[in-house]
Amino acid sequence: MPGPKSMHVKVNSMESEMEFVITTATTGKQLFEQVIKTIGLRELWYFGLSYVDNTGQESWLKLNKKVKDQDLPKDQDKFEFNFRAKFFPEDATDELIQDITVHLFFLQVKEAILNDSIYCPPEAAVLLASYAVQAKYGDHQEKHVTDIQKDIEHGKVLSKRVKELHPNFTAEDWAKKISDWHAEHKGLIKEDAMKEYLKIAQDLDMYGVSYFSIKNKKGTDLLLGVDALGINVYEKDNKLTPRIGFPWSEISNIAFSGRNFTIKPLDKKSPDFVLRVDKPKTNKAILAICMGNHELYLRRGKPDTIEEEMERKLQEEHEQKLALEMQAHQIADENKKLLVQKELSDKMSKQQVETGQNFNFASNSRHSANESNHEAEDHIDEENAEMVLSSEGVAGMDSELNRQTAVAQDKSLNSKLKELSDDLNAVREQQALTDNDKIHQDNVKKGRDKYKTLNLIRKGNTKSRVNEFEAM
């Protein structure tokens, strides 16, 4: 009998293109593993392979099904996938370990901000641009101003919306503003500049949120937002300001049947939170996103000692490498220098083996948990499914309620951003304001930010919030 036929696959990551030849017997998991091995990524639990399905909708490749059996576009010589973050950490600076993971998140979030998939106010856009410039060019030099100006003209550091809001501001004017901030980041290495970028970006209202169109019993068109912090309900035309919120700690289980999606609260006195969608397939996507985010929520509350050990070893490896390199530079005798360099090489090789073993152990542990999620996802029936979301034993639940934005924590930065906002407001074309600009301005006037809003929409018992949803 003839063997499996070959399939040509192209995978786009945020920094490269990869091509693979697979067979009709290849599973999503096997393709995914080829990709992460090529990239050298170990924090694989955040990522997935997305593609445009045969209906023109974005979908995620299921790991436990054959690639050919999924709803791929028909009659293509080469199938294309995007390697992207599917789930986002609550705190990127705290949770992401590998430099490559930080880099991929940085590139994906930056792209989303530049194309306005994540709304970013102009003053924050300038600050973020300065960190992006630091990551790209290193410490500020006058010659970089011209390079920044070119990046602005080509849409690489500021979104089209931000520039159109200030039509009298030239690329040179923007480059000067960004350069002023860039000069303050002196000494910040590339990896730390990217982390600082994510530290600011993760406080934006739309960061890490997956949105789905839903309705309540009255038939009102609404949006459901799912992210690392829980499940929120939005008005149809406002993705920035949720109206009702349910943290993961308040949810007992989630299920769907046909076009109805049910969220069962832990509060026994509360009625179920039932929403409706146009297609059962949407419910399956909601369930999958909820499962993945809840899994990461549990892991944040139950620290993984293997990961902590992995991070500690990476830090030790970095510090010892610097110390040995410094020692080598200080030795004048060439023979001794060679011996020290050999010692450096031997120690680094040994540590890399040890770290690699820990990485593999942690990755396998995480991968197994990830697989159980994907197995549950893959075996969800198209018409109905249910998933228990236990939060038992999780420490520090709803810690975001006591959290402040990075800007709010830094009075000096807050003051400088306020000054920049006033400067930009003076040259802003008010008629060019988008709906999101107006919503953001209204939130600022009311003294709201991402975490203050979460505090507000979670007030009252679960029953009152379910009733509010039905009244929308």
Side-chain angles (χ1 to χ4, degrees), residues 205-214 222-235 238-239 242-248 251 263 273 275 286 289-290 293 454 457-458 469:
D205 296 296
M206 294 174 65
Y207 168 88
V209 183
S210 296
Y211 295 96
F212 302 91
S213 296
I214 62 167
L222 301 165
L223 291 173
L224 187 77
V226 183
D227 68 1
L229 306 178
I231 297 173
N232 297 321
V233 177
Y234 300 75
E235 293 174 327
N238 183 350
K239 290 184 175 181
R243 283 279 304 274
I244 304 163
F246 299 90
W248 294 119
I251 300 172
I263 298 169
F273 171 39
L275 54 94
I286 295 173
I289 289 293
C290 285
N293 276 294
L454 281 178
I457 65 172
R458 292 181 181 180
F469 165 72

Side-chain angles (χ1 to χ4, degrees), residues 113-128:
I113 288 172
L114 291 179
N115 67 26
D116 263 345
S117 296
I118 296 176
Y119 174 81
C120 182
E123 62 277 9
V126 171
L127 174 60
L128 289 173

Side-chain angles (χ1 to χ4, degrees), residues 51-144:
Y51 64 98
V52 177
D53 66 23
N54 53 25
T55 67
Q57 300 297 311
E58 184 182 31
S59 296
W60 292 95
L61 192 70
K62 297 174 182 63
L63 297 193
N64 289 345
K65 288 188 177 180
K66 292 178 181 178
V67 175
K68 77 170 182 65
D69 291 340
Q70 306 193 39
D71 51 356
L72 302 172
K74 305 297 182 185
D75 303 322
Q76 290 197 358
D77 295 330
K78 184 181 292 184
F79 297 93
E80 192 164 336
F81 299 91
N82 293 314
F83 184 78
R84 295 289 185 271
K86 185 177 182 181
F87 306 106
F88 289 72
E90 179 183 338
D91 189 342
T93 57
D94 219 24
E95 297 173 45
L96 302 182
I97 300 172
Q98 269 191 295
D99 287 344
I100 181 62
T101 316
V102 173
H103 190 209
L104 289 172
F105 267 95
F106 164 74
L107 292 175
Q108 185 168 332
V109 172
K110 182 163 78 78
E111 181 183 82
I113 288 172
L114 291 179
N115 67 26
D116 263 345
S117 296
I118 296 176
Y119 174 81
C120 182
E123 62 277 9
V126 171
L127 174 60
L128 289 173
S130 70
Y131 283 119
V133 165
Q134 178 72 19
K136 183 175 181 179
Y137 297 113
D139 286 348
H140 173 266
Q141 296 179 38
E142 281 303 316
K143 67 178 182 179
H144 290 151

Side-chain angles (χ1 to χ4, degrees), residues 231 246-255 261-273 287 290-291 294 297-298 386-392 397 462 466:
I231 297 173
F246 299 90
W248 294 119
S249 60
E250 289 186 6
I251 300 172
S252 168
N253 70 336
I254 52 178
F261 193 98
T262 302
I263 298 169
K264 189 177 286 294
L266 275 174
D267 183 356
K268 304 293 185 184
K269 297 177 182 178
S270 172
D272 291 344
F273 171 39
L287 189 64
C290 285
M291 287 163 55
H294 185 263
Y297 160 75
L298 291 179
E386 183 172 0
M387 184 60 57
V388 175
L389 300 183
S390 171
S391 299
E392 186 178 351
M397 291 191 290
T462 313
V466 172

Side-chain angles (χ1 to χ4, degrees), residues 107-377:
L107 292 175
Q108 185 168 332
V109 172
K110 182 163 78 78
E111 181 183 82
I113 288 172
L114 291 179
N115 67 26
D116 263 345
S117 296
I118 296 176
Y119 174 81
C120 182
E123 62 277 9
V126 171
L127 174 60
L128 289 173
S130 70
Y131 283 119
V133 165
Q134 178 72 19
K136 183 175 181 179
Y137 297 113
D139 286 348
H140 173 266
Q141 296 179 38
E142 281 303 316
K143 67 178 182 179
H144 290 151
V145 178
T146 303
D147 296 325
I148 296 170
Q149 189 173 328
K150 289 178 182 177
D151 286 342
I152 292 165
E153 291 169 348
H154 295 129
K156 293 182 178 180
V157 291
L158 282 179
S159 71
K160 181 181 177 183
R161 173 185 56 83
V162 169
K163 289 185 286 186
E164 288 179 346
L165 276 174
H166 310 85
N168 295 325
F169 241 48
T170 65
E172 187 178 353
D173 293 329
W174 285 117
K176 178 66 170 64
K177 289 285 185 187
I178 293 169
S179 293
D180 288 345
W181 286 87
H182 179 202
E184 297 191 14
H185 307 325
K186 185 177 181 180
L188 204 61
I189 63 173
K190 180 177 180 178
E191 289 74 19
D192 289 343
M194 291 189 291
K195 282 188 175 183
E196 287 299 316
Y197 186 102
L198 291 172
K199 182 179 176 182
I200 302 296
Q202 69 191 8
D203 290 335
L204 298 173
D205 296 296
M206 294 174 65
Y207 168 88
V209 183
S210 296
Y211 295 96
F212 302 91
S213 296
I214 62 167
K215 299 177 189 289
N216 59 9
K217 287 179 183 176
K218 289 168 60 177
T220 307
D221 288 324
L222 301 165
L223 291 173
L224 187 77
V226 183
D227 68 1
L229 306 178
I231 297 173
N232 297 321
V233 177
Y234 300 75
E235 293 174 327
K236 181 184 177 183
D237 299 320
N238 183 350
K239 290 184 175 181
L240 271 65
T241 318
R243 283 279 304 274
I244 304 163
F246 299 90
W248 294 119
S249 60
E250 289 186 6
I251 300 172
S252 168
N253 70 336
I254 52 178
F256 72 82
S257 178
R259 296 182 179 180
N260 290 344
F261 193 98
T262 302
I263 298 169
K264 189 177 286 294
L266 275 174
D267 183 356
K268 304 293 185 184
K269 297 177 182 178
S270 172
D272 291 344
F273 171 39
V274 182
L275 54 94
R276 290 159 177 75
V277 299
D278 289 334
K279 298 176 183 178
K281 185 177 179 180
T282 303
N283 275 335
K284 188 172 183 180
I286 295 173
L287 189 64
I289 289 293
C290 285
M291 287 163 55
N293 276 294
H294 185 263
E295 172 68 20
L296 291 178
Y297 160 75
L298 291 179
R299 291 186 179 281
R300 285 194 299 274
K302 298 176 181 177
D304 191 330
T305 54
I306 297 171
E307 285 182 6
E308 290 175 347
E309 179 68 11
M310 176 171 35
E311 189 169 8
R312 184 183 65 77
K313 281 192 171 292
L314 281 174
Q315 183 63 27
E316 285 180 1
E317 179 183 323
H318 180 66
E319 289 174 355
Q320 289 184 24
K321 178 181 176 182
L322 291 177
L324 286 167
E325 284 178 341
M326 187 175 294
Q327 186 179 352
H329 284 306
Q330 290 172 348
I331 296 175
D333 187 287
E334 195 62 33
N335 290 328
K336 287 184 179 179
K337 187 172 183 178
L338 289 171
L339 285 173
V340 172
Q341 287 176 337
K342 185 178 185 302
E343 181 186 355
L344 166 64
S345 178
D346 291 344
K347 283 193 176 184
M348 290 300 297
S349 297
K350 182 180 178 182
Q351 286 172 353
Q352 283 171 355
V353 169
E354 292 174 351
T355 305
Q357 289 170 344
N358 278 311
F359 262 133
N360 289 333
F361 187 24
S363 293
N364 289 335
S365 171
R366 280 291 196 120
H367 203 172
S368 296
N370 228 32
E371 280 181 23
S372 66
N373 258 353
H374 282 290
E375 283 172 10
E377 176 186 337

